[in-house]
Amino acid sequence: MTTTLVTGANKGLGLETTRRLVAAGHTVYAGMRDLASGDAARDLGAIAVQLDVTDQDSVDKAIGSLRTLDVLINNAAVVGPSWGLDDLDVDAMRVAFETNVYGVVRVTQAALPLLRQSSAPVIVNVASGLGFPRALLDPEDDSFNGYMIPYASSKAAVLALTIQYAKNLPGMRINASDPGYTATDLNSHKGHQTVTEGTDATVALALIGTDGEPGTRDDVLADMRSIVNAVPDMHWEVQELLFDRDRIAARVVNTGTPVKEWLGVAPTGKSFEIVEYAIYKVNDGRFVQMTNLHHSADVSRQLTA
């Protein structure tokens, strides 16, 4: 049985993630600041646990109540009190970072001893398109119209710390997800996606590698063939490379025009251009591990716009 902890699980994306993982057979601990708000999670079959990611004592007690842990989903997040420049100050920045960044570190660090005992440890950090510079600069992207500085910068930090955790913990599957513009309390339910759509990436990443076995060379080749089959003109252009002992980090621009269904989107004749960040571990002249990050919601938007 896979044991999963979801932070901020009493409502919105966290609650929907909880529902879907319980349905997938996970034993889910639903973390929330106030246990009185946990009835919805309990009704789903989850175990409500008091967890305030801004309080180290609360984090330690919550993690201490678990006997095992296989999957950690750092979902808890706040916008904070600032939505523009006129109400922006350091305190507003601190509020957003306390939950969205420091909270991720608090919970992850506390959970590492249990995750290291798992045969298939997974960490998913729920980020946001607002953390991608390219999305923030693209007038056609939903994130372009988000002007809040604390939230966007905190989510950019989440992407960076996800990559750094992945580099430091190569034996774990560590990824970040982007819910897209989803209708939740955070945006006063103005988003055009449902919470189910908004949790697709998070749930997929939480379920990855549940057998604990790494992908083989044949798995990688099969995946590449499926991509080329759907996008025959797929082009990868390496724009930046960074070498650090046995690791290589790359910034790659992917372009192409799907001719078959790809990423759940039927071919429309439209092309896409996305930036992918990849980290490779090299041993004896061979790539032995790869972690990659790209804005999947941006791909879908480009193909359906």
Side-chain angles (χ1 to χ4, degrees), residues 1 5 7 24 42 48 50 71 75-76 86 126 129 159 164 172 175 190 209 222 255 265 272 288 294 296:
M1 180 70 74
L5 172 64
T7 67
R42 294 187 191 94
Q50 198 281 325
V71 179
N75 167 78
D86 293 339
V126 180
L159 293 173
Q164 296 302 85
M172 296 189 188
N175 292 283
K190 295 178 181 177
T255 58
V265 179
F272 63 85
V288 295
H294 66 266
S296 59

Tab-separated table of all heavy atoms in Angstrom, residues 1 5 7 24 42 48 50 71 75-76 86 126 129 159 164 172 175 190 209 222 255 265 272 288 294 296:
chain	number	residue	atom	x	y	z
A	1	MET	N	0.840	-1.197	0.000
A	1	MET	CA	0.000	0.000	0.000
A	1	MET	C	0.871	1.241	0.000
A	1	MET	O	1.815	1.343	0.784
A	1	MET	CB	-0.918	0.012	1.237
A	1	MET	CG	-1.832	1.210	1.339
A	1	MET	SD	-3.153	1.205	0.098
A	1	MET	CE	-4.227	-0.070	0.768
A	5	LEU	N	1.168	11.799	1.642
A	5	LEU	CA	0.805	12.979	2.424
A	5	LEU	C	0.588	14.138	1.468
A	5	LEU	O	1.445	14.447	0.638
A	5	LEU	CB	1.919	13.331	3.415
A	5	LEU	CG	1.753	14.665	4.163
A	5	LEU	CD1	0.514	14.647	5.062
A	5	LEU	CD2	3.002	14.989	4.983
A	7	THR	N	-0.350	18.213	1.485
A	7	THR	CA	-0.533	19.405	2.313
A	7	THR	C	-1.614	20.288	1.692
A	7	THR	O	-1.860	20.251	0.492
A	7	THR	CB	0.779	20.210	2.437
A	7	THR	OG1	1.131	20.758	1.153
A	7	THR	CG2	1.912	19.321	2.931
A	24	ALA	N	-7.147	5.766	-6.328
A	24	ALA	CA	-6.078	4.976	-6.952
A	24	ALA	C	-5.492	3.946	-5.995
A	24	ALA	O	-4.602	3.189	-6.376
A	24	ALA	CB	-4.971	5.904	-7.453
A	42	ARG	N	-12.180	13.414	5.045
A	42	ARG	CA	-12.529	12.172	5.752
A	42	ARG	C	-13.597	11.395	4.989
A	42	ARG	O	-13.549	10.170	4.908
A	42	ARG	CB	-13.029	12.493	7.160
A	42	ARG	CG	-11.976	13.102	8.087
A	42	ARG	CD	-12.516	13.230	9.515
A	42	ARG	NE	-11.644	14.022	10.352
A	42	ARG	CZ	-11.779	15.330	10.570
A	42	ARG	NH1	-12.796	15.989	10.011
A	42	ARG	NH2	-10.940	15.977	11.349
A	48	ALA	N	-7.330	12.711	8.106
A	48	ALA	CA	-7.010	14.123	8.320
A	48	ALA	C	-5.932	14.245	9.385
A	48	ALA	O	-5.989	13.585	10.430
A	48	ALA	CB	-8.261	14.886	8.735
A	50	GLN	N	-3.465	17.300	11.403
A	50	GLN	CA	-3.211	18.714	11.605
A	50	GLN	C	-1.807	19.042	11.108
A	50	GLN	O	-0.826	18.444	11.527
A	50	GLN	CB	-3.339	19.081	13.091
A	50	GLN	CG	-3.518	20.565	13.367
A	50	GLN	CD	-2.223	21.366	13.286
A	50	GLN	OE1	-1.163	20.871	13.644
A	50	GLN	NE2	-2.299	22.606	12.801
A	71	VAL	N	4.895	8.972	-0.868
A	71	VAL	CA	4.644	10.101	-1.768
A	71	VAL	C	4.335	11.347	-0.944
A	71	VAL	O	3.475	11.321	-0.058
A	71	VAL	CB	3.463	9.823	-2.720
A	71	VAL	CG1	3.196	11.020	-3.626
A	71	VAL	CG2	3.725	8.566	-3.543
A	75	ASN	N	1.385	20.849	-1.638
A	75	ASN	CA	0.325	21.565	-2.348
A	75	ASN	C	-0.059	22.883	-1.683
A	75	ASN	O	-0.504	23.807	-2.356
A	75	ASN	CB	-0.906	20.657	-2.458
A	75	ASN	CG	-2.151	21.403	-2.897
A	75	ASN	OD1	-2.335	21.707	-4.065
A	75	ASN	ND2	-3.021	21.722	-1.933
A	76	ALA	N	0.103	22.987	-0.368
A	76	ALA	CA	-0.353	24.170	0.363
A	76	ALA	C	0.265	25.446	-0.200
A	76	ALA	O	1.467	25.511	-0.452
A	76	ALA	CB	-0.002	24.035	1.840
A	86	ASP	N	1.000	48.793	-5.019
A	86	ASP	CA	0.637	49.752	-3.979
A	86	ASP	C	0.587	49.126	-2.592
A	86	ASP	O	0.809	49.815	-1.591
A	86	ASP	CB	-0.713	50.404	-4.301
A	86	ASP	CG	-0.635	51.299	-5.537
A	86	ASP	OD1	0.493	51.710	-5.881
A	86	ASP	OD2	-1.687	51.561	-6.153
A	126	VAL	N	3.688	21.427	-6.062
A	126	VAL	CA	2.712	22.104	-6.916
A	126	VAL	C	3.187	23.541	-7.133
A	126	VAL	O	3.196	24.357	-6.211
A	126	VAL	CB	1.310	22.077	-6.301
A	126	VAL	CG1	0.312	22.798	-7.218
A	126	VAL	CG2	0.866	20.627	-6.069
A	129	GLY	N	2.207	28.302	-13.398
A	129	GLY	CA	2.701	28.962	-14.593
A	129	GLY	C	3.229	30.352	-14.280
A	129	GLY	O	4.073	30.897	-15.000
A	159	LEU	N	10.060	26.146	-8.322
A	159	LEU	CA	10.640	25.450	-9.466
A	159	LEU	C	12.139	25.237	-9.268
A	159	LEU	O	12.670	24.153	-9.535
A	159	LEU	CB	10.391	26.241	-10.748
A	159	LEU	CG	8.931	26.344	-11.202
A	159	LEU	CD1	8.808	27.287	-12.383
A	159	LEU	CD2	8.375	24.978	-11.555
A	164	GLN	N	16.781	21.572	-7.611
A	164	GLN	CA	17.918	21.342	-6.724
A	164	GLN	C	17.721	20.105	-5.853
A	164	GLN	O	18.667	19.348	-5.603
A	164	GLN	CB	18.177	22.579	-5.863
A	164	GLN	CG	18.595	23.819	-6.656
A	164	GLN	CD	19.854	23.591	-7.473
A	164	GLN	OE1	19.812	23.091	-8.593
A	164	GLN	NE2	20.997	23.938	-6.901
A	172	MET	N	15.263	9.579	-5.911
A	172	MET	CA	13.844	9.873	-5.740
A	172	MET	C	13.287	10.513	-7.001
A	172	MET	O	14.006	11.176	-7.742
A	172	MET	CB	13.629	10.828	-4.551
A	172	MET	CG	14.030	10.271	-3.208
A	172	MET	SD	13.508	11.355	-1.844
A	172	MET	CE	14.338	10.545	-0.471
A	175	ASN	N	9.425	16.077	-8.867
A	175	ASN	CA	8.937	16.891	-9.968
A	175	ASN	C	8.068	18.032	-9.463
A	175	ASN	O	7.605	18.030	-8.314
A	175	ASN	CB	8.104	16.038	-10.933
A	175	ASN	CG	8.936	15.011	-11.669
A	175	ASN	OD1	9.642	15.329	-12.609
A	175	ASN	ND2	8.851	13.754	-11.241
A	190	LYS	N	-12.249	32.099	-10.543
A	190	LYS	CA	-12.301	32.707	-11.875
A	190	LYS	C	-11.607	31.852	-12.929
A	190	LYS	O	-11.729	32.118	-14.125
A	190	LYS	CB	-11.659	34.093	-11.829
A	190	LYS	CG	-12.417	35.102	-10.969
A	190	LYS	CD	-11.696	36.441	-10.932
A	190	LYS	CE	-12.433	37.443	-10.051
A	190	LYS	NZ	-11.702	38.733	-9.960
A	209	GLY	N	6.017	5.546	-11.440
A	209	GLY	CA	6.988	4.633	-10.848
A	209	GLY	C	6.533	3.966	-9.571
A	209	GLY	O	7.324	3.747	-8.668
A	222	ALA	N	10.961	3.702	-26.464
A	222	ALA	CA	9.532	3.597	-26.785
A	222	ALA	C	8.844	4.944	-26.606
A	222	ALA	O	7.986	5.339	-27.419
A	222	ALA	CB	8.881	2.535	-25.895
A	255	THR	N	10.171	22.327	-30.549
A	255	THR	CA	9.167	22.834	-31.491
A	255	THR	C	8.629	21.675	-32.326
A	255	THR	O	9.305	20.657	-32.509
A	255	THR	CB	9.763	23.894	-32.438
A	255	THR	OG1	10.872	23.322	-33.146
A	255	THR	CG2	10.238	25.118	-31.667
A	265	VAL	N	-4.408	16.116	-26.724
A	265	VAL	CA	-4.981	17.110	-27.631
A	265	VAL	C	-4.967	16.567	-29.061
A	265	VAL	O	-3.936	16.102	-29.549
A	265	VAL	CB	-4.183	18.431	-27.583
A	265	VAL	CG1	-4.777	19.448	-28.553
A	265	VAL	CG2	-4.171	18.991	-26.168
A	272	PHE	N	3.813	24.196	-31.806
A	272	PHE	CA	4.111	24.636	-30.452
A	272	PHE	C	5.600	24.949	-30.338
A	272	PHE	O	6.424	24.493	-31.126
A	272	PHE	CB	3.734	23.562	-29.424
A	272	PHE	CG	4.522	22.291	-29.570
A	272	PHE	CD1	5.775	22.144	-28.964
A	272	PHE	CD2	4.030	21.237	-30.325
A	272	PHE	CE1	6.510	20.978	-29.113
A	272	PHE	CE2	4.762	20.063	-30.482
A	272	PHE	CZ	6.004	19.936	-29.877
A	288	VAL	N	22.591	7.997	-17.255
A	288	VAL	CA	21.962	6.975	-16.409
A	288	VAL	C	20.686	7.481	-15.746
A	288	VAL	O	19.916	6.696	-15.193
A	288	VAL	CB	22.945	6.475	-15.328
A	288	VAL	CG1	24.117	5.759	-15.967
A	288	VAL	CG2	23.432	7.617	-14.440
A	294	HIS	N	8.940	20.912	-17.980
A	294	HIS	CA	8.449	21.806	-19.015
A	294	HIS	C	7.020	22.217	-18.688
A	294	HIS	O	6.364	21.615	-17.852
A	294	HIS	CB	8.519	21.164	-20.403
A	294	HIS	CG	7.624	19.987	-20.599
A	294	HIS	ND1	8.036	18.699	-20.411
A	294	HIS	CD2	6.313	19.914	-20.954
A	294	HIS	CE1	7.029	17.870	-20.641
A	294	HIS	NE2	5.983	18.580	-20.965
A	296	SER	N	3.690	22.035	-19.457
A	296	SER	CA	2.743	21.257	-20.262
A	296	SER	C	1.452	22.010	-20.544
A	296	SER	O	0.845	21.856	-21.604
A	296	SER	CB	2.443	19.909	-19.562
A	296	SER	OG	1.909	20.126	-18.275
